[in-house]
Structure formats: structure tokens, C-alpha cells
Amino acid sequence: SAASNPYLLECISSWLREIPAAQIVHSPLFDIIINGLSIPNSFEASIECLCTLFRDTREVDESIELIQIIYPRILSLRTKIVQFAEVEDLESYKGITRVFAEAGEAWVVMIARLPNEFRGLVEAILECCARDRDRDSIALTFLFWYEFKQMVTLEKYKEARNHYANVFAQLVDIMIKHLEYPMPEGSDETDLFDGDREQEEKFREFRHQMGDVLKDCCDVITVSECLGKAFELIKQWISVWGPQSSGSKVSHWQELEAPLFSLRAMGRNVSAEENVVLRQVIPLIVQIPDHEKLRFQAIMALGRYTDWTAQHPEFLQQQLNFVIAGFQHESKEVVRAAALAFRFFGTDCKQLLQDHVTQLHEFYESVLDKLPQASQEEVTEGVACVISAQPLARIYPMLKLYCDPIIERMITRAEEAKNEQDENGKLAVADYLQLLTIFIQNVQPYVSPNEQNPAVKYCQEILPIMSAIAENFTHSTPILERVCRCWRYMVLSYRTAVLPLLPSLAQQLANGFQNTRQGCFLWATDSVLREFAAGADYVDDSTSQAIYHFFEQQAVAFLRIMNDLPPFELPDVIEDFFRLLIDALIYYHQQLLPAPVCESIIQASISALNLEQDAPLIATLHFLRDFLSYGTDHPNSSIVGERSHESASENHPQIQQRVKRLIESQGEALVQRILTGMMFHFPKDCLPDASGVLHALFEIMPHEVALWIKGTLAILPPGSVRPAEGDRLMSYIGQNIQSGDTRKIRALVHGRFDVLIFVTLVRCSKVMIFRGRFHKFLSKKKRCPPRWVGAFGSDQVPIQRLDIVPYPLFQTFRGS
């Protein structure tokens, strides 16, 4: 019959996009939707109809009458939960779970307002979670539990929070049960997924999502209550299965591993002041049997509570012994977990461990060479934090104690790597350099300006060694990147205290860039430029001036390289150079802009605009926008006045005139390169900055720029732009120049002109000459590469340089 035809239900779903939901609910069609859930062929279509209805009733105040009609009918479907679960109809079970979950999401405000009336819906969703033995449907409820938590934790819904507390308590029990690994079906107890590694990986990811639900429960009921449930399960396992377990043979280990994972998952919500459960549960965790998955989960759980341990020192020793024992485990997973946990112990408990720094060195030396690189870095960060907590007099000897053996390993490996054909030896040298950098990043003692920094004293000793390595491996990018990263952090960590190193460091950076043509030397130069700029604390004028001359030396070296090689062979170097220039403009614009080298720099930037990669183009465009701002009264930098609350832009007329003269000589070429780039080969992420450059040019010299645009249109390939469209564009530009509204010109160039050009390109027959670049404007947006992210953040990629550079003031987004 038509009433059972799924196509009818699909029609209803389509109608709901156009007509009010009330017209469906108040008609016989609503009965057809509900009855369709009992007909296999129309089950899925009925589900879609109901979910569409729920979405239409999200505005609960406006839809209260409809909800009162729909809700009882939905609640009557609860019997189907048991029905589908008993016959193991997974698809139908998933469908009915979706109905209740989406109803809860749509009406979550009503559930919080009227807890007694809507409790049945919440209990139905809870039942869906409890009966989902295969864990195929439970994920559909996660969004509801999150939104429900968000509502009931508001003060205005405190009554609902108390009313539903037992529901969230049951949810904790259900989630911990679902966290259990499956029981093996065969004789191999280690193969839990019948060899399906993809399924195992999905299960692991799924567990972390359930862990998020446990965190939601902690926000509703007390953290101690949630922890207490995991604690009770651990005690229960110990009393039932503990006596039957020995060594690595552990009965029903899944029932113990799940509450351990839940403790780990809930750790973020537990404050250091928790004083009820953790005092009881941590002594039990450190007695966990030596089963691989149990030991892994126990160590990871302890690593979550290191901030709590820092406030309860009496529990430190037993935990640390347990974690350190994990380094001797045969499982690589357990060893990696131990390294990660040790890092957190060193970071959070460094004050408690400062008296054990010598014993930790013995441990560090015994495990370092046995660990994978990532774990070496984690353990190194842990011990470096402990060293940072030492009294000032002990910093230098402790750095020597820990770092000298690393230096010796690095030198030995470097000697071997000279004669090796493969890259493994060179990568090993780069890895040791990374460990030294971690010490420099984390050991930053406070020293008064009149005292010698003990960490800088040690850096003076190792600087010649690192310089020698850079000179001997001029063709190894990983080694050069790591050397420059280490030098960079010497400056960022110890700031002006590295002044004794500065002459030698600057010379090494200059020589390194000239000999290797690697952009990492410019990247390290940028840190020196920032820290020793004019006006910085404890930096005299002669030092600041010497730093500028050092920068200019690097700029000249770059320009020589640009003369020898085309831009497409130097994208990384170009990006690093123009990032460096952005800071040079901020700190040294009064010296840079009048300098003869500035005109060559502008020419190099115009040449760089031939590139097609996002990162170097964006860096170049950002520099150009900052440079052009100095031709106006509002440059993209400011200085702090004599009083702390004063801040003013300073741009001398001589600077403005210098910028205008440079525009007069180079502006036509710049406009041509910007316009052709926007039309043909710039990635779309570069278009806002490209139009920003044009806007800045219009601000300074509007009439000249209009002529240059007209000239550019005239030299385009025949058929690229229709004459009528070009004339219309020039007419719009002329009108806005007369009115003085240059911002409208930017919108024209970025919007109307851009669209007209591309429409014309699509029509013309020469699209293919652009080597397929045009289609990228129509493709899905790509993620931009990182823009020197976080100078003090983690930097796990071996040869990726990261730092923070502020965006220009006129950053905009592409219009329609």
C-alpha cells in the first residue's frame, strides 16, 4: 500500500524542508511515519522523517505544542530497544538509538526545564547505551550526553542536575563496561580482534570518545563519585580474580584494564585537592600484575595524576619506582608509556625530585640509547625540568653531567657519519642535537643582569662543537635545521644574557648561510634580531647597530643567491628571508628603508611573486603590505611612549618619501606581478593579501596605480579579458579615486575584477596554458602550512621551523 511505501516517506522528508512541521504532525501522515517503523522496507525512511521533525522542533518555545504531541509517540517506541537487542538486529537497533538520541539533542532544553516529564526519554537513551553489546550504536548518543551535560551544569538547571544525578551515575557504569577489550575467541589471548588491526585501531579511538563521556559525567556528579566507581571495580577484581593471577597470566584482565583506562580518562577533571579516592586507588595501581595491557594502562593513568602527586609527596616514590620499572618491560608500548609518564613526573614534580638529580642521571644514562627517538625526547624533557629546579650554583655542573655524554655520543656518531652513504648516521646526529635543544629550552634559571648565567656558560662551551658539526655537514638539511634550532633557543631562552656568545654566533650564522644557502640560518638570525633590537632592555646602541649590520650582511647574501638561482628553487629560503624582513621592518625600519639594499629587496620580492606555493607567497605579500604601510601615516608598527599608557605610530616624512620613491621605480612591475598572480597562479589563500597590497598602493599613489593596472590589462594575452570588462573596471576605479574611497577599489579588485577575469578565462581557449593552476581555485580549500607556529611550543617535526609572527593589521577575507 502507499502508506507503507518508503518513497512516500522520502517525499514527506522532502516536504518538511518547505512546509511547517505542524502540518505533518496534525495530519494522518504522522501516523504513517510512526507506523513505518514497524515495516522493514520503510524503517530507514521513517527514521529520516522523524529526525527531520526533531530538527524542526529545536526551537522548543515555539514548538511546545508539537513536542507534546510527538513525545508520547516517541516514548512508546521504547519497547523496540529490547526487541531489536534480543534478536541482534544491529541496523534496526542503530536506527532506534538514533531516534531517541536526536530527539534528546533537539529537546535538551525541555529535558532540563521539565526533568520529571522528560525523564523517560533520557532513560530510553541510557537503555540504548546499556543494551548495545556490539558497541555499534552507542556513539550516536555521545553528542546528546555532551549537550545534556552543558545544560544541567548551568546554575538555573540545578534541580535537573540533582534529578538526573543517578542517570549519570549509571552512565559511568555503562561506559566503563563498554571500555572492556573483547574476550579472545581462539586460543591466542593476545589476538583480540582476529588479526584485524584496523578494527583494533578503531576500538582504541572509540575508547577515547567514551572517555570524553566519562569527563561529562564528572562535571555533573562529583569527580570523587566517578573515581569511586572505578576504584570499586578494581577492588572487586582484586578480590575475585586477583588470587588466580600470577606474573603475566592474568584472569579476566579486561575487567581490570577498563577501570584503569577510565581513571586515566577522568584524570583531567580531577583537581590536586581531591583527597578521598586517589589516596586509596594509587597504592592499588602500583601493585597491578605484570600484564602488558594492564601495565601500560596503569603507567598512563599515573602519568595523568602527576599534578596531584606534586601536592601529595608521600605517594611519589612508589609511583616513580613503578614507572621506572616499566622501562625494563619487554613490550615497546609499555616502554613508550613509561617515557611519557616520566616526562610528566619530571615536569610537575621537579621540586620534589631536585634532591634526586644525581640518581636520575644514572637512570637516564642507562635507558637513553635503548629508547626510540620520541621517548628519548620525553625522558630528556623530564630530567631537564628537574635540573631547572636546582639551585643556581648547581645548574652548570648538572648540565655538564647530563649533556657532556650526549655531546660525546654526537661527536662519535658524527665521525662515523662522515663516511656513511646512507642518512641514518646523520639523522642520529640530528637527534642528539634535538636532545641538547630540549635542555636549553627547559633549563632557564633566573639570573640578575650583573651575574653570569650558568646555562650560557655551558652554551659557550658547546658552541664551537656545534659550529664544527654545521661546517662538516653542509649538505645535511636535518643536521643544519637542528643546529640552527638549538642556536635559536639559546637566544630565546637566555635572551640578552647570550651577549658573550653573540659575536661568534653571528659569525657562524653568516658563514653558514653563505656556505649552505639554507633558510634555517635566516630563521635563527630572526631570533637575534628580535632580542637585540634597539630599545630592548640591557642592549646598548652599539650592540643594536652591530645587529643591524649583521642583518644587512645576511640580506646581501640572500640577494646574491637570488641572482644565481630562480625563485622556484628557493621557496623555503624565500619564506625565511621575508619572515626575517617583517621583523626587520618592525625593529629597524629607520635604518632599512633608506638603505641602498632596500631597492634590491623590493626587486627580489617582485621576483618571488612568480612562485606558486602558499607559504613563501604569503610571507612575501605580508612583507610588502608592511613595507607599503610606511608610505602612509599609519605604519604596521608602533612604539611605546615615555609613559606606559602612551602608544603612538611614528613615521617620519623622510621615510614616507623614501617609500614613495621606491614605489615610483618599482610599482609598475609590482602591480603587473600582483594582478597576473591573482588572475593565473596565486593560491586562493594568498588572494586577500594580494588585494591588500593593491589597496596599500592605491592609498599612497592612486592615480599612478590606476595607470599601471590599465597598462597591465593591455599586455595580457589576447582573449584573457574582454575589452568591455576592462573598461568597466577602469571606470569603477576612476570613480572611486575621485571620491577618495580606496577601500571600495580593493573590493572591486578582490571581488568584481577577480570574478570577471575568471569568467573570461573559462570562456577563452587559452586556459590550458596555465598548466592546470586555475582548477585549484575551484577545488576544496587546502590547509595552509604552519606559519612559524609557537616559538616556545613543542616542535616534533625534525626539520620544520616554527615561530609566531603576528598577522598584518589589514588582514581580510575574500568577498563574494
Side-chain angles (χ1 to χ4, degrees), residues 275-293:
N275 211 27
V276 179
V277 180
L278 289 181
R279 285 183 168 277
Q280 303 175 67
V281 75
I282 284 181
L284 294 181
I285 292 177
V286 297
Q287 300 177 45
I288 292 298
D290 191 23
H291 182 279
E292 176 186 353
K293 289 198 177 333

Side-chain angles (χ1 to χ4, degrees), residues 117-317:
E117 290 80 352
F118 283 86
R119 184 181 178 92
L121 178 57
V122 178
E123 290 178 343
I125 299 172
L126 186 70
E127 185 178 356
C128 289
C129 296
R131 294 185 181 276
D132 185 17
R133 289 192 295 269
D134 294 314
R135 293 178 284 240
D136 285 335
S137 307
I138 191 172
L140 297 171
T141 70
F142 291 167
L143 180 58
F144 164 73
W145 293 119
Y146 171 75
E147 293 188 351
F148 189 30
K149 180 266 295 187
Q150 294 287 86
M151 294 301 299
V152 298
T153 50
L154 297 175
E155 185 62 29
K156 66 185 295 186
Y157 297 124
K158 186 176 180 180
E159 180 185 348
R161 179 177 182 172
N162 296 330
H163 182 84
Y164 289 115
N166 64 332
V167 171
F168 279 93
Q170 295 175 58
L171 183 61
V172 173
D173 295 330
I174 293 168
M175 288 297 157
I176 293 178
K177 185 64 180 175
H178 282 314
L179 287 172
E180 292 182 8
Y181 272 96
M183 300 293 289
E185 296 181 1
S187 57
D188 186 1
E189 294 188 359
T190 61
D191 190 5
L192 305 175
F193 295 89
D194 296 328
D196 190 345
R197 296 303 169 208
E198 182 179 354
Q199 188 66 25
E200 182 175 3
E201 193 60 36
K202 286 182 179 179
F203 177 70
R204 288 183 175 182
E205 181 180 349
F206 181 58
R207 297 177 97 205
H208 288 285
Q209 295 175 9
M210 288 191 284
D212 291 336
V213 178
L214 287 173
K215 296 184 185 76
D216 294 336
C217 295
C218 290
D219 291 335
V220 179
I221 57 180
T222 62
V223 171
S224 295
E225 183 175 349
C226 294
L227 292 176
K229 287 180 173 292
F231 175 52
E232 289 300 323
L233 290 171
I234 293 173
K235 287 202 303 182
Q236 180 181 331
W237 184 92
I238 291 174
S239 62
V240 176
W241 303 111
Q244 303 178 32
S245 304
S246 61
S248 59
K249 295 186 185 246
V250 182
S251 301
H252 294 264
W253 61 266
Q254 293 90 340
E255 297 178 16
L256 176 58
E257 194 269 351
L260 286 174
F261 181 92
S262 71
L263 287 173
R264 170 188 165 193
M266 294 184 286
R268 189 176 67 183
N269 292 58
V270 180
S271 71
E273 286 73 35
E274 204 286 328
N275 211 27
V276 179
V277 180
L278 289 181
R279 285 183 168 277
Q280 303 175 67
V281 75
I282 284 181
L284 294 181
I285 292 177
V286 297
Q287 300 177 45
I288 292 298
D290 191 23
H291 182 279
E292 176 186 353
K293 289 198 177 333
L294 294 178
R295 182 59 65 97
F296 172 84
Q297 214 55 255
I299 290 174
M300 292 295 284
L302 293 179
R304 273 290 194 179
Y305 293 95
T306 50
D307 55 344
W308 182 88
T309 303
Q311 304 299 321
H312 301 81
E314 65 272 23
F315 294 94
L316 173 62
Q317 190 64 53

Side-chain angles (χ1 to χ4, degrees), residues 20-41:
Q23 293 186 20
I24 301 294
V25 174
H26 290 302
S27 73
L29 293 176
F30 185 55
D31 291 327
I32 293 175
I33 296 172
I34 296 296
N35 295 335
L37 294 172
S38 302
I39 304 171
N41 288 339

